[in-house]
Amino acid sequence: MHRIFTTSVASVYPHYVTKAERKGRSKQEVDEVIRWLTGFSQAELDQHLAEETTFLDFFGAATLNPNASLITGSVCGVKVQEVEDPLMQKIRYLDKLVDELAKGKAMEKVLRQPAG
């Protein structure tokens, strides 16, 4: 099992926020991306962060967005669409969304919404 699976989301979350904020994006936008991917409400997300839920339990409780399969590209040189472990793929999806946010992509593109 990968060590990240038993890492708390709360321990990684500040890094996501910092990465986004360094590029002029907001904590609210990071939260929006996480809510889009997981189906959590803001209150549920806040509760998972407060309870230091592991990635294993976090994604276990999530209802993955049906458009998550549209997330493609590489994170750390690995194509997210080719990650074989389902949990690792979900974690990589989240990493990729935060990367795109930090790179200045429009929110509707990050959230895989159809143009128009």
Side-chain angles (χ1 to χ4, degrees):
M1 177 147 46
H2 296 277
R3 194 177 67 205
I4 187 73
F5 293 177
T6 54
T7 300
S8 77
V9 176
S11 67
V12 179
Y13 176 79
H15 300 287
Y16 291 147
V17 173
T18 301
K19 181 176 192 169
E21 287 179 343
R22 271 200 318 259
K23 301 292 187 170
R25 302 307 281 260
S26 68
K27 173 189 177 295
Q28 289 75 17
E29 287 175 306
V30 172
D31 287 358
E32 184 178 349
V33 163
I34 296 172
R35 292 193 318 264
W36 176 86
L37 181 62
T38 61
F40 293 138
S41 67
Q42 187 64 49
E44 289 168 323
L45 173 57
D46 291 342
Q47 185 175 358
H48 282 294
L49 294 172
E51 293 175 359
E52 300 195 1
T53 305
T54 64
F55 275 101
L56 184 66
D57 294 335
F58 183 76
F59 280 110
T63 303
L64 208 63
N65 189 296
N67 287 337
S69 61
L70 301 176
I71 302 168
T72 57
S74 296
V75 175
C76 303
V78 178
K79 286 190 177 5
V80 294
Q81 63 273 27
E82 293 174 6
V83 174
E84 289 184 14
D85 184 283
L87 177 55
M88 195 66 195
Q89 187 174 50
K90 291 171 189 168
I91 295 168
R92 292 298 189 195
Y93 281 161
L94 180 53
D95 292 343
K96 183 67 180 164
L97 293 174
V98 173
D99 278 357
E100 290 178 355
L101 190 63
K103 286 179 179 155
K105 263 198 173 181
M107 187 58 92
E108 56 272 7
K109 283 201 168 48
V110 175
L111 301 185
R112 305 307 191 262
Q113 293 168 348

